[in-house]
Every structure is written in C-alpha cells, then in structure tokens.
Amino acid sequence: MYMKQLIEAVDPHKKLIKWKVIEGDLLELYNYCNFTTSCEREWTTWTIEYEKKTEDTPEPLLHLGVILAMTMDIENHLLKK
C-alpha cells in the first residue's frame, strides 16, 4: 500500500499532529482521509476522518493495525534507556 501525506498542523502545547492524505491507495476508496494524533499523559489518541466514495466501501479498519504498530514502535523507542 502507498500513501503520501501532508502535515497540516502541529501543536506542541496540545501535543497534537494532523495529517492529510494527498496521494495513494486510500484515495481510491475515500474522497478524503485525515489522521490526527494527540497525547495526554500516558494516553495517545488517534482520530481518522474520512468520507467513503460509495456505500459499499469498507471502513478503514486495516489501517488501524498499521497505526497501532507504529504507535508501539514509537513507544518502545521513547522508553529505551
């Protein structure tokens, strides 16, 4: 799978980053797809905003596994001593 994204916003005070998908496989299924991550204490929250091109288009659940793996990799990196 291929995805090219653009960072739309970074807010270090809220610990928030927002990405907009501008190219790739996701845009074949969805009119738009945006990802937002924010952190509060030991919690990371991911939000996915999207619009399906058709009613038969599946939810982007496959991508949640990629997001979870990436979050765990970042956590492991940050917790290394």
Side-chain angles (χ1 to χ4, degrees), residues 1-61:
M1 295 185 80
Y2 164 75
M3 177 175 61
K4 186 174 183 181
Q5 67 259 357
L6 175 70
I7 296 175
E8 283 193 315
V10 175
D11 187 338
H13 299 291
K14 293 182 181 178
K15 299 179 183 174
L16 179 136
I17 302 173
K18 185 170 185 176
W19 294 271
K20 176 181 180 178
V21 177
I22 57 173
E23 279 183 31
D25 299 325
L26 279 177
L27 295 182
E28 292 177 10
L29 299 172
Y30 307 101
N31 291 324
Y32 68 87
C33 192
N34 299 324
F35 296 89
T36 304
T37 183
S38 59
C39 299
E40 186 176 323
R41 298 185 186 189
E42 63 272 350
W43 294 99
T44 299
T45 302
W46 283 90
T47 305
I48 304 173
E49 300 173 48
Y50 60 93
E51 180 180 49
K52 296 178 181 182
K53 286 194 175 185
T54 67
E55 288 294 321
D56 297 332
T57 301
E59 307 296 329
L61 298 178

Side-chain angles (χ1 to χ4, degrees), residues 57-72:
T57 301
E59 307 296 329
L61 298 178
L62 173 67
H63 301 82
L64 292 177
V66 174
I67 290 170
L68 179 60
M70 181 176 62
T71 302
M72 290 171 58

